[in-house]
Amino acid sequence: MARITGSNGARTAAAIRQAALGLIYRQGFAAMNLRDLAAEVGIQPSSLYNHITSKQALLFDLMQEHMQTLLDSTDAALAAAGPGLMERLRAFLAHHVLYHMERRQEVYIANFELRALDPPNHRQIVAMRQDYEARLMALLEEGVALGELVVGDIPVTAYAMLAMLTGICTWYRPSGRLEKAELVALHTELALNGIRRR
Amino acid sequence: MARITGSNGARTAAAIRQAALGLIYRQGFAAMNLRDLAAEVGIQPSSLYNHITSKQALLFDLMQEHMQTLLDSTDAALAAAGPGLMERLRAFLAHHVLYHMERRQEVYIANFELRALDPPNHRQIVAMRQDYEARLMALLEEGVALGELVVGDIPVTAYAMLAMLTGICTWYRPSGRLEKAELVALHTELALNGIRRR
Amino acid sequence: MARITGSNGARTAAAIRQAALGLIYRQGFAAMNLRDLAAEVGIQPSSLYNHITSKQALLFDLMQEHMQTLLDSTDAALAAAGPGLMERLRAFLAHHVLYHMERRQEVYIANFELRALDPPNHRQIVAMRQDYEARLMALLEEGVALGELVVGDIPVTAYAMLAMLTGICTWYRPSGRLEKAELVALHTELALNGIRRR
Amino acid sequence: MARITGSNGARTAAAIRQAALGLIYRQGFAAMNLRDLAAEVGIQPSSLYNHITSKQALLFDLMQEHMQTLLDSTDAALAAAGPGLMERLRAFLAHHVLYHMERRQEVYIANFELRALDPPNHRQIVAMRQDYEARLMALLEEGVALGELVVGDIPVTAYAMLAMLTGICTWYRPSGRLEKAELVALHTELALNGIRRR
DNA sequence: TATGAATGAGCATTCATTCAT
DNA sequence: GATGAATGAATGCTCATTCAT
């Protein structure tokens, strides 16, 4: 019989994922150990295995869920934007910054723990990343074709823009000096100004 | 009789540092183990301790040397630039990109293994990083004061620019499609356009 | 369901303590290694840590339990003795000798591995030792006050008596030439004659 | 060419033995390490081997020299004593106590590091110990034959007396409350009263 | 005689994982 | 679903000792 959502088991599983995000974000995947994870959840290490398959599988699940959410919410943001190229590009960038502030742990992990993945898992996550990057590159290409953007090299520019906007998740704290909206605006302008026809 | 320079000891120590850079860059500090490091150098694990104090001290030494070199070479680049603000800013950015391509292992480690440092070591390296960031912030402030730059928020902009230019060390390979000089030019323009008075 | 008493866990823990007593007695704490201890118990070295916190904590536990037992059984022996000073003194000495024959491993360890204790543990065990010695000194003082004993110097005499009676645990073997009762009688007389009013 | 006494090498060798006595006395042979020993002497660990054959041989040498000195000085003390049994017994006991105060490090090591000796070395030192104990047993036997002593069991009594008098080396400090002569007198009386015909 | 570098064996301890209960 | 006990592999590090210089 299937357990209902919110049952004890599901709550434990969610707590594990939440605690794992924090620990991996703070210490790194290799440095995190399952004793600490279990302790943070309030169970014994062996009990983790009622909810996860392995440490590696836990990492993969966290990354995969994050990437899928990122792709889906990006597509939703693009669909909701106006039809113009600049409108869509601005929507992509704004969404990226906002998402990277709000889910900085997942983002950080997905960016910097790729090397901790087993080769098959690695391939899968890298493919999802490339999917995501491809959306930006397509927008840049379109902008160049329309004559609205000046881009020296599309992939290099896309990587540079993403690196700039992603950097926010290494230092952003909700309690910081600036509002989210301000940070989104600042970063979006910075990125757009870099390539907009002057 | 005194040992000659370049003797076995000094060569071994250098080989350890070189091998450690590669291993930490590829696997991360926590995931790297001293047995592999020793094997790569061609000595026994216990022999490492004739040259390092501990795994932690090795990491700290690598980081500290890198940060000092970065600070010194940056100052040299600034001193060699023309007197104008834009000349010095461009020199800073170009130097940053070039350095991050040429010593991408050290850079990557210094950026992403900060959390692996013991608290006292952490404090010291963070202070050196802030020293470095302060140089860019000072240039931005000067540019704003002169009316040559339009900067929404100095620290946020500095972090965003550094993140963009630093990103290159996550994907750059010497065998890649573009020349170093091209990459330097592309990145410098991208960063400058973001803030230059239009 | 709760585990029953005498389950595997409790039995293993007891076996570890028993084996540790023998190994430390024979080889000394520093020379004993946990591999040998595990082998003697019939488990893997890593399994020791399901039952002990550390090698140091194991030593401390063994010592502390011994000292508490010694104090408690001494008090019981004194309470069971007749009211006279000489009866109580004789009871103390006889109990000491008997205890030191029957638990010579614990006694030997508690006497000669004090230096292997961490400072905080050391302080605690030394305090218990002083508690024990104080009982003998109090009896000697009482005897001197009553005029039944001739004692040149109370602490020095107490230490000398304890050293004499404790010495038995360095050579006593149950299979030896003399019965326990004979040894107790011999030692008690030797000690008492040394200080009894002639 | 033979080096003259007091040369650098001889001085280093003596310093090693002196430092080793202190370290083994304080930490135990197994817990002492040659790094610390070398550091205390002011040389590098590898240099120790110009003066000692091995850690084990160092221990054996220290013990052997001590035992020989003990035997020789005991014989001298016995020869210097008056001809009477009690005079010689008293001389033995007094010498034992004095020697054990003055060379308490050597004595402590010889008593409690026997188990650290290799079997051949162990046999040799044990034989010397038995030689020493035999001198006391012979005196006790003679006293019993003469009717001057009352001894329940000669070996047990000898061991008990030696344990009592040896105990002083575990707590004696030159800066203590009592003079050496007082301690010698106290202990000698304590031991003699235990067995003297009343 | 002294030393820096190297070594192989060993050490206490950690870790992810398993499994019977 | 949870747990205590067990495990095998591994980890950073120490140690006595060797040896060319």
Side-chain angles (χ1 to χ4, degrees), chain B residues 8-117:
Chain B
N8 238 355
R11 244 184 288 132
T12 302
I16 289 172
R17 298 168 69 87
Q18 201 53 45
L21 278 178
L23 282 168
I24 300 175
Y25 176 69
R26 275 179 272 131
Q27 312 180 6
F29 178 72
M32 171 195 77
N33 73 69
L34 298 186
R35 276 164 177 76
D36 287 352
L37 176 59
E40 195 148 306
V41 176
I43 60 176
Q44 295 300 316
S46 54
S47 301
L48 288 173
Y49 287 86
N50 289 319
H51 306 279
I52 69 173
T53 304
S54 66
K55 193 188 176 193
Q56 168 72 208
L58 171 60
L59 176 63
F60 176 66
D61 283 351
L62 292 175
M63 281 205 192
Q64 197 188 28
E65 195 210 359
H66 154 68
M67 286 305 304
Q68 197 56 57
T69 305
L70 175 62
L71 285 168
D72 292 346
S73 62
T74 297
D75 288 342
L78 287 175
L85 179 268
M86 290 304 288
E87 288 167 312
R88 279 178 289 128
L89 180 53
R90 195 180 287 275
F92 180 96
L93 298 174
H95 174 267
H96 183 99
V97 176
L98 192 59
Y99 187 97
H100 281 60
M101 281 190 292
E102 294 189 335
R103 300 192 61 175
R104 74 199 139 86
Q105 292 184 334
E106 290 90 326
V107 166
Y108 192 84
I109 293 169
N111 278 315
F112 301 115
E113 296 294 356
L114 272 172
R115 63 187 171 196
L117 288 171

Side-chain angles (χ1 to χ4, degrees), chain B residues 76-177:
Chain B
L78 287 175
L85 179 268
M86 290 304 288
E87 288 167 312
R88 279 178 289 128
L89 180 53
R90 195 180 287 275
F92 180 96
L93 298 174
H95 174 267
H96 183 99
V97 176
L98 192 59
Y99 187 97
H100 281 60
M101 281 190 292
E102 294 189 335
R103 300 192 61 175
R104 74 199 139 86
Q105 292 184 334
E106 290 90 326
V107 166
Y108 192 84
I109 293 169
N111 278 315
F112 301 115
E113 296 294 356
L114 272 172
R115 63 187 171 196
L117 288 171
D118 278 348
N121 291 341
H122 190 268
R123 272 191 291 280
Q124 208 165 328
I125 300 297
V126 164
M128 296 176 90
R129 276 173 69 95
Q130 289 171 341
D131 243 38
Y132 181 69
E133 294 161 356
R135 280 161 172 72
L136 175 56
M137 293 193 213
L139 290 170
L140 295 184
E141 266 170 38
E142 193 180 335
V144 169
L146 292 171
E148 300 189 26
L149 301 180
V150 179
V151 177
D153 184 280
I154 299 238
V156 168
T157 302
Y159 291 145
M161 290 175 77
L162 290 172
M164 179 172 76
L165 304 181
T166 298
I168 201 170
C169 71
T170 65
W171 58 262
Y172 172 74
R173 295 292 175 277
S175 56
R177 182 166 50 89

Side-chain angles (χ1 to χ4, degrees), chain A residues 101 177-188, chain B residues 153 156:
Chain A
M101 281 191 292
R177 181 167 49 91
L178 298 179
E179 293 298 316
K180 275 187 202 168
E182 292 177 280
L183 289 168
V184 170
L186 275 168
H187 280 82
T188 308
Chain B
D153 184 280
V156 168

Side-chain angles (χ1 to χ4, degrees), chain C residues 8-23 26 32-52 58 62:
Chain C
N8 238 356
R11 243 183 290 132
T12 303
I16 289 172
R17 296 168 70 85
Q18 202 52 46
L21 279 178
L23 281 168
R26 275 178 272 131
M32 172 196 76
N33 71 68
L34 297 186
R35 279 166 176 74
D36 288 350
L37 176 58
E40 194 148 307
V41 176
I43 59 177
Q44 295 300 315
S46 55
S47 302
L48 289 173
Y49 288 85
N50 290 317
H51 306 280
I52 68 173
L58 170 60
L62 292 175

Side-chain angles (χ1 to χ4, degrees), chain C:
Chain C
M1 203 176 104
R3 296 211 161 225
I4 54 169
T5 307
S7 73
N8 238 356
R11 243 183 290 132
T12 303
I16 289 172
R17 296 168 70 85
Q18 202 52 46
L21 279 178
L23 281 168
I24 300 175
Y25 176 68
R26 275 178 272 131
Q27 311 180 7
F29 177 73
M32 172 196 76
N33 71 68
L34 297 186
R35 279 166 176 74
D36 288 350
L37 176 58
E40 194 148 307
V41 176
I43 59 177
Q44 295 300 315
S46 55
S47 302
L48 289 173
Y49 288 85
N50 290 317
H51 306 280
I52 68 173
T53 304
S54 67
K55 195 187 174 194
Q56 166 73 208
L58 170 60
L59 176 64
F60 176 67
D61 283 351
L62 292 175
M63 283 205 191
Q64 196 189 28
E65 194 210 0
H66 153 67
M67 286 306 302
Q68 196 57 56
T69 305
L70 175 62
L71 285 168
D72 292 346
S73 63
T74 297
D75 288 343
L78 288 174
L85 179 271
M86 290 304 287
E87 288 167 313
R88 280 178 289 130
L89 181 52
R90 194 179 289 273
F92 180 96
L93 298 174
H95 174 268
H96 183 99
V97 177
L98 192 58
Y99 188 98
H100 280 60
M101 281 190 293
E102 294 189 333
R103 301 191 61 174
R104 73 198 138 88
Q105 293 184 334
E106 290 91 328
V107 166
Y108 191 84
I109 291 168
N111 278 316
F112 301 116
E113 296 293 357
L114 272 172
R115 64 188 169 195
L117 289 172
D118 277 348
N121 291 341
H122 190 269
R123 274 191 290 278
Q124 209 165 326
I125 300 297
V126 164
M128 296 178 91
R129 276 174 69 96
Q130 289 170 343
D131 242 38
Y132 181 68
E133 295 161 356
R135 282 161 171 73
L136 176 56
M137 294 193 210
L139 289 169
L140 295 183
E141 268 171 37
E142 194 181 335
V144 169
L146 292 171
E148 299 188 29
L149 301 179
V150 178
V151 177
D153 183 280
I154 299 237
V156 168
T157 302
Y159 290 146
M161 291 174 76
L162 290 173
M164 180 171 74
L165 304 181
T166 298
I168 199 170
C169 71
T170 64
W171 56 264
Y172 172 75
R173 294 294 174 275
S175 56
R177 182 166 49 88
L178 299 178
E179 294 297 318
K180 274 187 202 167
E182 293 178 280
L183 289 168
V184 169
L186 274 168
H187 280 81
T188 308
E189 282 320 302
L190 221 40
L192 276 182
N193 284 343
I195 55 171
R196 194 154 32 187
R197 170 169 299 280
R198 299 180 80 84

Side-chain angles (χ1 to χ4, degrees), chain D residues 5-6 18 29 37 45-46 51 58 63 81 86-87 94 97-98 104-105 107 115 134 138 141 148 168-169 178 185:
Chain D
T5 306
Q18 201 53 44
F29 178 72
L37 176 57
S46 54
H51 306 279
L58 170 61
M63 282 204 191
M86 289 305 286
E87 288 167 313
V97 176
L98 193 58
R104 72 200 140 87
Q105 293 184 335
V107 166
R115 64 187 169 195
E141 267 171 38
E148 299 189 28
I168 200 169
C169 72
L178 299 178

